[in-house]
Amino acid sequence: MFYLQVLVLLTPPLRFFPSVVMCILMGMLYYTRILVGKPEDGQYYHLDIDTGSDLTWIQCDAPCTSCAKGANQLYKPRKDNLVRSSEPFCVEVQRNQLTEHCESCHQCDYEIEYADHSYSMGVLTKDKFHLKLHNGSLAESDIVFGCGYDQQGLLLNTLLKTDGILGLSRAKISLPSQLASRGIISNVVGHCLASDLNGEGYIFMGSDLVPSHGMTWVPMLHHPHLEVYQMQVTKMSYGNAMLSLDGENGRVGKVLFDTGSSYTYFPNQAYSQLVTSLQEVSDLELTRDDSDEALPICWRAKTNSPISSLSDVKKFFRPITLQIGSKWLIISKKLLIQPEDYLIISNKGNVCLGILDGSNVHDGSTIIIGDISMRGRLIVYDNVKQRIGWMKSDCVRPSEFDHNVPFFQG
């Protein structure tokens, strides 16, 4: 069982999916610290936790063509640690790239490109990732990851505060999958992001910290091309108003969980219906403020007094319900997104909608659950039993945590 502390930066990050434009104007960035290299000269790196990314990569000096300042010094790879193009992980990473796989090359090049034309380019390498036990002893494992020596575009904004990305998807190259393939852990990933904006949280890999009761479990939905965490939804509503699903015949939809997105995204029709339903807010004690550039839709108090807390305004909004499984509520399961799970307070003292139009996100028809709607919940992706689960939590250090559980020191 591996345990990582999650830290939070109040920063304006730009979030990305492969082949997706996601421009976030403000938000929070969740990261963890991982020690990489030999014990005597290893370096801690701040990595953005991302359940939507396959490859873990760190900015590196190989030498670096284009890198942001980052939180720490650039990783320096050793030539004898480079992954050869003939190795399986290289074939795995390059199978979806535009360039053809080169079996005779001495190194494995990768390029992760985004629809806004930002990208990370580098080579695969391997090094020791250190895990620290609660009792102070150390464990380590050789991990294949990306040495990113050329980052371009808006991605550089995120890398002003971090050093790279921690890939936590279902892909074979992801960190949990590598550990599971060696029998070190069972392929289970869990994260808990605190509701408090000044709070932190934790990530774990392995099944030891999965609660034995209290979890809501639903089947994991497989994607034909992407190794992402998805579930199927049969109904979605804002209060009593139904929101359309853009799935097959409009009857079912897909929900993707992604910690690499600061905000939540709805397909265009559902988003438009939500915005229409929210017009009732302006009939109460709030009014639209189009001058606030924090997010596309913001409201100010009609008294013109700054809004200091969501507790003061959440009563004007309704919960969003995602119904999973049967269309009959009595036998279905649901994910309830309360107003505080989709609203933020802007720097101008307005309340803003943290759900955005997902027309150009992913395939355009998938509901993307971002960090804003995951806070205050323990969410578990069980790749062994092919299920996704969640429960309410304050996201403090788990009570089940004991002296025999290894974790990445935060």
Side-chain angles (χ1 to χ4, degrees), residues 343-375:
L343 299 171
I344 68 160
I345 302 297
S346 73
N347 290 336
K348 288 186 65 174
N350 292 333
V351 59
C352 299
L353 179 64
I355 298 176
L356 306 180
D357 183 355
S359 299
N360 297 316
V361 176
H362 197 54
D363 57 8
S365 64
T366 299
I367 300 163
I368 310 293
I369 302 295
D371 292 339
I372 189 173
S373 301
M374 295 192 208
R375 297 197 301 258

Side-chain angles (χ1 to χ4, degrees), residues 40-247:
E40 61 272 17
D41 58 5
Q43 171 71 42
Y44 276 106
Y45 294 98
H46 294 178
L47 302 182
D48 182 0
I49 64 172
D50 195 347
T51 55
S53 285
D54 300 341
L55 181 67
T56 295
W57 58 266
I58 301 173
Q59 291 196 117
C60 73
D61 183 7
C64 180
T65 302
S66 175
C67 294
K69 181 181 179 180
N72 299 284
Q73 65 183 29
L74 296 176
Y75 173 78
K76 293 187 177 181
R78 300 207 321 266
K79 188 174 182 179
D80 57 344
N81 278 355
L82 294 180
V83 173
R84 298 182 66 87
S85 62
S86 58
E87 296 185 38
F89 276 133
C90 183
V91 178
E92 165 80 8
V93 168
Q94 292 185 345
R95 64 190 171 107
N96 292 324
Q97 295 188 166
L98 296 177
T99 56
E100 295 184 1
H101 175 67
C102 174
E103 293 187 0
S104 61
C105 296
H106 294 291
Q107 66 184 37
C108 180
D109 298 310
Y110 78 85
E111 181 176 352
I112 303 175
E113 187 173 0
Y114 306 94
D116 68 344
H117 306 301
S118 294
Y119 66 81
S120 173
M121 182 184 295
V123 296
L124 290 191
T125 187
K126 64 184 73 170
D127 209 334
K128 296 186 182 301
F129 277 41
H130 296 268
L131 303 98
K132 189 173 183 180
L133 298 174
H134 187 54
N135 62 11
S137 61
L138 287 173
E140 61 185 37
S141 182
D142 288 321
I143 297 297
V144 172
F145 62 100
C147 161
Y149 57 75
D150 188 359
Q151 282 64 244
Q152 297 289 343
L154 297 173
L155 174 62
L156 290 168
N157 293 350
T158 297
L159 295 170
L160 293 173
K161 299 293 185 179
T162 60
D163 305 300
I165 286 178
L166 182 66
L168 297 171
S169 77
R170 299 173 53 245
K172 294 178 181 178
I173 191 70
S174 74
L175 178 59
S177 293
Q178 289 190 54
L179 296 170
S181 68
R182 298 169 194 169
I184 299 174
I185 62 167
S186 57
N187 200 343
V188 177
V189 180
H191 59 75
C192 205
L193 310 178
S195 296
D196 183 358
L197 297 185
N198 296 315
E200 298 176 352
Y202 61 88
I203 314 171
F204 63 83
M205 289 177 283
S207 59
D208 292 359
L209 293 182
V210 177
S212 57
H213 61 276
M215 295 283 291
T216 297
W217 292 104
V218 299
M220 188 181 292
L221 184 65
H222 285 270
H223 190 285
H225 307 296
L226 301 175
E227 300 292 347
V228 293
Y229 298 115
Q230 289 190 129
M231 67 179 184
Q232 192 175 77
V233 60
T234 53
K235 285 185 179 180
M236 180 166 63
S237 61
Y238 171 75
N240 294 323
M242 298 303 299
L243 303 178
S244 296
L245 298 172
D246 287 2

